[in-house]
Amino acid sequence: MGYENVKFAEDAVFLVTGGAGFIGSNLVEALLKKGHTVRVLDDLSQGKQSNVDMFLDNVNYTFIKGDIRDIDRCLSATKGVDFVLHQAAWGSVPRSIEMPLLYEEINIRGTLNMLEASRQNGVKKFVYASSSSVYGDEPTLPKKEGREGNLLSPYALTKATNEEYAKLYTKLYGLDTYGLRYFNVYGRRQDPDGAYAAVLPKFIKQLLDDEQPTINGDGKQSRDFTYIENVIEANLKACAASSEVAGNAFNIAYGGREFLIDVYHSLTKALGKDIEPIFGSDRAGDIKHSNADISKANKMLGYDPDYSFEKGIEEAIEWYRNEYNE
């Protein structure tokens, strides 16, 4: 259970791309707590300096400001690195529909640069963020690897393409790659602001501010919300995984299913708010229902998530309350 017992050599060096982002900064924190040497590569276009300020005095921490579209930066950042945790990407399905060219450049070319730099510098394991969006319009629940449908957005296409490149890098070049298909990750340091903010932090912040949140669609869509601690576990266990399972992609979730309207009401109850939501139109490119079969990750990576939705949301609410001085 958890990742406390996942061990690496004392002198192991980790590179976290997108390390100033929500998921990345949590990975950095967990690795530094374990006493490892951690580098961050981030251009701060999505991540925030404030997410990593707490690490500045740690002798094991190095920040490299750079763009994954710059192959020379990727090459220098991966020198002497054992494990790459590649989180750098532009997220958001709706924004990708507005900016397909940028998503191609950052998410696909940037990932290819990181794969190539890792290959050239003899990185041992390349663990990268994929997404549940690769399931597209395949309606079957739970979602199972190998049963994907038609892709619904440029963002989903970038993640599916990255999986194919990673598979090739394992097959052709012997680079151990492990894809993690994240399902609706939430938790501390996730940004609640902006037009493309994820639904949970946005709702929590709006309710704390006594604002009326908007639910896209009828609220009957369902999601497999995944707490950040589960994602840290998956990344560390992938770094420790056997080379025999390299080249695979894995569902990373809790394996639950929450309906958005129920989630909304549980948040109002937890926060002591009596605010009815506004119902807006459906978002283009969104999947209606999402629920993961995590048996492959359990079997091949030993992934055994500790945090249910209820347990995770309690911690998340507490963090946002403290952060926004409620």
Side-chain angles (χ1 to χ4, degrees):
M1 299 284 275
Y3 53 86
E4 293 77 14
N5 298 324
V6 183
K7 301 276 190 253
F8 303 99
E10 275 185 30
D11 59 353
V13 178
F14 290 80
L15 171 67
V16 182
T17 69
F22 152 51
I23 294 174
S25 64
N26 277 287
L27 289 169
V28 173
E29 184 177 24
L31 289 164
L32 288 172
K33 276 182 182 165
K34 281 179 159 289
H36 295 300
T37 299
V38 185
R39 290 180 203 165
V40 163
L41 175 63
D42 202 307
D43 67 355
L44 299 176
S45 64
Q46 301 298 291
K48 292 178 175 177
Q49 185 62 52
S50 59
N51 282 342
V52 289
D53 279 345
M54 71 186 97
F55 313 131
L56 293 173
D57 295 333
N58 192 314
V59 292
N60 291 330
Y61 170 77
T62 308
F63 182 84
I64 303 164
K65 189 170 183 192
D67 191 325
I68 55 171
R69 288 175 290 180
D70 178 349
I71 184 63
D72 293 331
R73 209 64 164 145
C74 296
L75 284 162
S76 62
T78 48
K79 269 202 182 97
V81 166
D82 298 297
F83 303 99
V84 169
L85 300 179
H86 177 53
Q87 313 299 311
W90 270 41
S92 172
V93 163
R95 185 169 56 184
S96 77
I97 292 170
E98 293 168 23
M99 308 178 188
L101 295 179
L102 190 64
Y103 275 72
E104 163 80 24
E105 281 175 36
I106 297 170
N107 291 9
I108 296 179
R109 187 51 192 259
T111 298
L112 185 55
N113 282 344
M114 284 305 306
L115 283 163
E116 181 58 17
S118 298
R119 175 180 83 87
Q120 288 191 30
N121 282 318
V123 166
K124 290 174 186 166
K125 306 273 184 190
F126 186 93
V127 179
Y128 63 96
S130 186
S131 164
S132 59
S133 65
V134 300
Y135 287 104
D137 63 1
E138 163 55 45
T140 315
L141 293 178
K143 307 290 184 188
K144 197 169 174 61
E145 300 91 342
R147 201 170 58 203
E148 294 82 20
N150 296 305
L151 300 168
L152 299 175
S153 67
Y155 173 73
L157 177 59
T158 67
K159 292 299 186 178
T161 304
N162 289 347
E163 288 189 7
E164 293 301 319
Y165 266 124
K167 215 186 292 180
L168 276 179
Y169 265 74
T170 297
K171 193 176 174 183
L172 297 175
Y173 309 118
L175 175 65
D176 283 3
T177 65
Y178 306 83
L180 305 181
R181 293 179 178 174
Y182 298 153
F183 280 68
N184 297 89
V185 185
Y186 71 98
R188 58 188 174 271
R189 294 201 285 279
Q190 189 173 29
D191 191 354
D193 298 314
Y196 303 107
V199 67
L200 286 181
K202 198 169 192 172
F203 282 179
I204 293 169
K205 174 76 167 21
Q206 286 174 325
L207 289 168
L208 285 172
D209 292 341
D210 291 320
E211 291 173 12
Q212 198 177 10
T214 297
I215 293 177
N216 295 111
D218 58 9
K220 290 176 184 167
Q221 59 269 54
S222 61
R223 295 289 179 263
D224 195 337
F225 289 107
T226 311
Y227 190 54
I228 185 64
E229 287 291 316
N230 297 337
V231 168
I232 296 169
E233 179 197 339
N235 275 271
L236 298 198
K237 285 188 171 171
C239 287
S242 162
S243 294
E244 289 175 13
V245 301
N248 276 287
F250 305 90
N251 289 341
I252 301 303
Y254 183 68
R257 188 179 176 200
E258 312 296 329
F259 289 87
L260 209 51
I261 191 66
D262 296 338
V263 168
Y264 179 81
H265 289 310
S266 69
L267 290 177
T268 56
K269 190 178 172 187
L271 293 166
K273 304 287 182 180
D274 185 18
I275 301 173
E276 283 301 311
I278 300 162
F279 291 94
S281 54
D282 287 317
R283 285 197 326 180
D286 263 4
I287 293 167
K288 182 78 175 172
H289 298 292
S290 187
N291 163 236
D293 178 332
I294 56 173
S295 58
K296 182 180 174 183
N298 178 258
K299 186 180 172 189
M300 294 186 177
L301 304 179
Y303 172 69
D304 187 13
D306 275 345
Y307 280 79
S308 64
F309 176 70
E310 291 75 20
K311 187 177 171 185
I313 201 68
E314 215 172 277
E315 281 197 11
I317 286 170
E318 190 181 340
W319 185 87
Y320 284 102
R321 270 194 160 134
N322 292 335
E323 187 71 6
Y324 296 101
N325 303 315
E326 175 68 5

